[in-house]
Amino acid sequence: MKLLRDTVLDPFLLSIFAVAVLASLFPATGTAEEVLAWVTRIAIALLFLLYGARLSPRDAWDGLKHWRLHSVILASTYLLFPALGLALRILEPGLISDDLYTGVLFLCLVPSTVQSSIAFTSIARGNVAGAVVSASFSNIIGVFVTPLLVIALMTTTGSVSIDPGSILDIVVQLLLPFAIGQLIRPWVTRWLTRHSAPTKLVDRGSILLVVFAAFSESMNQHVWSSVAAWRIGVVVAVCVVLLALVLTITWYGGKWLGFAFEDRVVLLFCGSKKSLASGLPMAAVLFVGQPVGLIVLPLLIFHQIQLMVCTVIAQHFARRAESEQAPVGSAAD
C-alpha cells in the first residue's frame, strides 16, 4: 500500500502523465517538431557524456566484459519477446485485427531502448556500465536482426533495406559522447561527485522529452482516431500483460542465474524495453504500402506503458537504496 501511495504521488510519474497530456493537447508541429527532435538528441548525447564522465575506465571495461549478462539481455530482446509475440496470435482476428496483431508482433521484434534503459538503471542504482554496453549493442545489432526477424516471422510487402545511417546515428549520438565523457573524466569527475543534480536532471529530462516527442508524433499522424476505442483497450491490455510477463521473467530469471542485484536491475530494464525511436523508422521501411500508423500503434502504447511502469520500479529501488544508506535516526528527523 505504501508503494502504491508513493507511486500515485510521485512527482516524476506525475510529470510523465502531465507531459503526455500536454503533448496530446499541443503536439509539436512544423518548426517546433524539428526543434524538439534536436533538443531530444542533444539531451540524450549530454546524458551519455555525463555517464562517460561518471564511470571509471575500469568500471566501463568490467561492463564490456560482462558477456553473460549481455547474452541474457539479447536473448530476452530477440528470443523471449518474439516467442511471446507469436503466442499472442491466438487473439487474431477475434480480439485484435490483422494489422493490430502485425503491430503487436512487430513491437516484439524491435531493439531495446537505449537512453531510457540506462536512465532507469542509473536511477535504480544498477550497473550503469553494463546497461550502456547492453542497450547500445542491442540497438546496433537490431538494425540488422529486426529486419531479418520480420522477414522470417511476418509477411511484408515492399522491399526491406537497412540504412547504414542508423548505425552512424547510434555511434555519433550515444557512443561518441560516452567516449568524450571518458576522456574529460579526470577534469570533471570531482565536480560531478559533489553535484549530482545535473545528472539527475538529464536522466529525468531525457525521458520526459522522449514521452513528449512520442505523443506529439502519434497525434500528428492521427493514430488514435483510426481504430475503434475497444480495440485500443484490448491492445493496452495485451501490452500490460506482455510487459508484466517479461518483467517477471527477467527479474526472477536474473535471480535464478545468480546475478548480483545491480546486474538484475540491468536485465530488468534493458531486457524488457522496446525502442520507439528505432521501431518507427524501421516500420516505415518494412511496411511500405501498408497502414504503418496502425501497425506501430501497439509499439506506441507499449512504449508509454513501459516508461510509466519502469518509472515506478526505478523510483522504488532508488528510495530503497536511499533508506538503506540513511544514517540511523535520520527517519525521525
Side-chain angles (χ1 to χ4, degrees), residues 19-137:
V19 166
V21 172
L22 183 64
S24 299
L25 295 175
F26 307 102
T29 59
T31 303
E33 187 175 16
E34 296 178 4
V35 172
L36 175 63
W38 277 106
V39 170
T40 304
R41 292 190 189 102
I42 292 171
I44 293 170
L46 180 59
L47 177 68
F48 276 79
L49 187 143
L50 290 174
Y51 283 143
R54 289 172 60 196
L55 289 174
S56 69
R58 180 176 180 178
D59 289 340
W61 177 243
D62 288 342
L64 185 63
K65 292 189 300 181
H66 206 343
W67 62 267
R68 186 165 167 261
L69 174 63
H70 307 322
S71 299
V72 176
I73 291 172
L74 290 176
S76 177
T77 302
Y78 297 114
L79 293 178
L80 174 61
F81 260 109
L84 293 174
L86 290 173
L88 290 170
R89 187 181 292 273
I90 62 174
L91 301 177
E92 178 199 10
L95 293 178
I96 56 177
S97 64
D98 294 345
D99 290 331
L100 284 176
Y101 173 70
T102 298
V104 169
L105 182 55
F106 177 67
L107 88 83
C108 293
L109 306 183
V110 301
S112 175
T113 62
V114 181
Q115 70 274 10
S116 60
S117 293
I118 298 170
F120 284 132
T121 299
S122 175
I123 293 170
R125 310 296 198 271
N127 179 1
V128 176
V132 168
V133 176
S134 282
S136 300
F137 186 59

Side-chain angles (χ1 to χ4, degrees), residues 221-273:
Q221 294 181 355
H222 307 288
V223 169
W224 303 106
S225 61
S226 64
V227 62
W230 72 270
R231 288 194 182 274
I232 293 180
V234 172
V235 173
V236 170
V238 168
C239 290
V240 169
V241 171
L242 181 63
L243 180 61
L245 282 173
V246 177
L247 286 172
T248 302
I249 292 171
T250 52
W251 181 249
Y252 289 101
K255 181 178 182 180
W256 179 72
L257 291 170
F259 287 124
F261 170 80
E262 292 79 8
D263 292 335
R264 289 175 68 192
V265 169
V266 178
L267 176 56
L268 182 73
F269 290 126
C270 294
S272 65
K273 295 287 205 343

Side-chain angles (χ1 to χ4, degrees), residues 147-172:
L148 293 176
L149 287 173
V150 168
I151 294 171
L153 302 179
M154 304 169 69
T155 301
T156 61
T157 60
S159 60
V160 176
S161 61
I162 297 174
D163 182 9
S166 300
I167 301 176
L168 182 61
D169 287 343
I170 293 172
V171 172
V172 172

Side-chain angles (χ1 to χ4, degrees), residues 281-327:
M282 286 184 182
V285 173
L286 295 169
F287 302 105
V288 177
Q290 300 184 49
V292 177
L294 196 58
I295 291 173
V296 301
L297 178 60
L299 180 58
L300 283 167
I301 294 173
F302 186 88
H303 187 265
Q304 309 314 319
I305 293 173
Q306 73 183 7
L307 288 179
M308 294 175 185
V309 171
C310 289
T311 296
V312 174
I313 297 173
Q315 294 287 77
H316 170 65
F317 283 143
R319 284 191 293 268
R320 190 177 76 172
E322 290 171 359
S323 65
E324 291 175 353
Q325 295 173 0

